[in-house]
Amino acid sequence: AQKITQTQPGMFVQEKEAVTLDCTYDTSDPSYGLFWYKQPSSGEMIFLIYQGSYDQQNATEGRYSLNFQKARKSANLVISASQLGDSAMYFCAMREVSRGGYQKVTFGTGTKLQVIP
Amino acid sequence: NAGVMQNPRHLVRRRGQEARLRCSPMKGHSHVYWYRQLPEEGLKFMVYLQKENIIDESGMPKERFSAEFPKEGPSILRIQQVVRGDSAAYFCASSPRRTEETQYFGPGTRLLVL
């Protein structure tokens, strides 16, 4: 089974609207974390937001919020008030603790978001 | 505080040549991770190193690929006798501790094999 699943290869959103990018995960580890990264056309990986499995509240960072539903094993990214500069690939990732006690990160296949003026 | 640095940013090699990719972690970070991103795909873990030690190389191809993180200097990912299928973006990430939650990524090296 895929550890991280992003079912939307591409999404369009109108400028100033909100958009939700889906991410589901699979783990049996009680302690894990979920990340979202943005990859613009220039190629770098930009960290956006992090949610720990024991965090009580959903993470928020400016216009980004993470809709964490633990029972459903989903960690959707919500971008509010979309801007043209939000057009990019977005990757969901999960960290788990390996047997060696270090963090191992698995990435999804990404969602390409295009913001329409 | 400088971020993770990778060089070169772009590398072109002909089939059969060697590629050397360098990664300087953030100051104070002694844990380095290498990932590969094939075209139109997500990042895939390759190898995790601490200073002078390879901790986990389960994601690295058994042949032609090697990695090191010496006591002094950057971490090096070496690909010998490159083939067209090695064309990809190679990202390095670093963290200050083994148990650190967040890995900080470099800008990547884009390798093109002709």
Side-chain angles (χ1 to χ4, degrees):
Chain A
Q2 293 284 342
K3 281 188 172 286
I4 292 281
T5 303
Q6 293 182 255
T7 56
Q8 306 153 315
M11 290 277 287
F12 289 92
V13 64
Q14 202 77 39
E15 195 178 4
K16 298 179 187 175
E17 298 285 311
V19 63
T20 298
L21 306 184
D22 294 342
C23 173
T24 56
Y25 60 91
D26 182 29
T27 181
S28 56
D29 191 340
S31 175
Y32 54 91
L34 296 147
F35 301 85
W36 277 91
Y37 287 88
K38 173 184 178 181
Q39 187 178 44
S41 56
S42 51
E44 70 267 33
M45 294 290 285
I46 301 168
F47 166 75
L48 293 179
I49 197 166
Y50 172 78
Q51 178 89 40
S53 58
Y54 293 120
D55 293 343
Q56 295 295 320
Q57 293 191 323
N58 286 349
T60 60
E61 289 285 347
R63 293 186 299 110
Y64 304 108
S65 60
L66 202 152
N67 184 2
F68 182 46
Q69 298 190 41
K70 201 168 180 176
R72 292 186 179 182
K73 293 191 174 179
S74 76
N76 299 340
L77 176 71
V78 180
I79 306 175
S80 62
S82 297
Q83 302 171 356
L84 295 178
D86 294 335
S87 294
M89 282 290 286
Y90 288 81
F91 291 97
C92 179
M94 176 174 65
R95 66 148 188 89
E96 297 169 286
V97 181
S98 70
R99 285 183 187 171
Y102 56 87
Q103 306 295 323
K104 205 154 182 180
V105 180
T106 307
F107 284 81
T109 51
T111 295
K112 185 170 185 176
L113 177 66
Q114 294 189 65
V115 180
I116 305 165
Chain B
N1 187 12
V4 178
M5 298 174 68
Q6 290 187 249
N7 68 80
R9 294 291 306 275
H10 300 273
L11 183 60
V12 180
R13 285 286 177 267
R14 296 194 181 280
R15 280 178 296 171
Q17 291 184 319
E18 178 180 283
R20 277 192 180 217
L21 288 63
R22 293 176 188 77
C23 169
S24 297
M26 286 178 72
K27 190 175 181 182
H29 288 196
S30 57
H31 301 259
V32 165
Y33 311 79
W34 284 93
Y35 294 84
R36 178 165 67 175
Q37 184 181 30
L38 295 170
E40 309 298 323
E41 292 187 15
L43 278 69
K44 296 267 179 13
F45 168 79
M46 296 181 76
V47 61
Y48 162 47
L49 309 103
Q50 285 179 250
K51 283 283 188 183
E52 300 184 274
N53 288 305
I54 296 174
I55 306 302
D56 182 349
E57 55 183 348
S58 59
M60 203 149 72
K62 295 282 185 281
E63 297 180 355
R64 304 187 297 108
F65 286 72
S66 62
E68 62 178 17
F69 190 15
K71 191 176 179 182
E72 301 290 337
S75 175
I76 308 280
L77 179 68
R78 183 198 295 180
I79 312 172
Q80 295 178 300
Q81 298 174 327
V82 295
V83 300
R84 289 221 172 107
D86 297 332
S87 295
Y90 292 83
F91 288 91
C92 163
S94 74
S95 67
R97 290 172 293 278
R98 175 183 282 253
T99 55
E100 174 68 22
E101 292 165 345
T102 302
Q103 297 176 8
Y104 299 84
F105 280 83
T109 293
R110 272 131 196 97
L111 172 66
L112 175 63
V113 180
L114 301 177

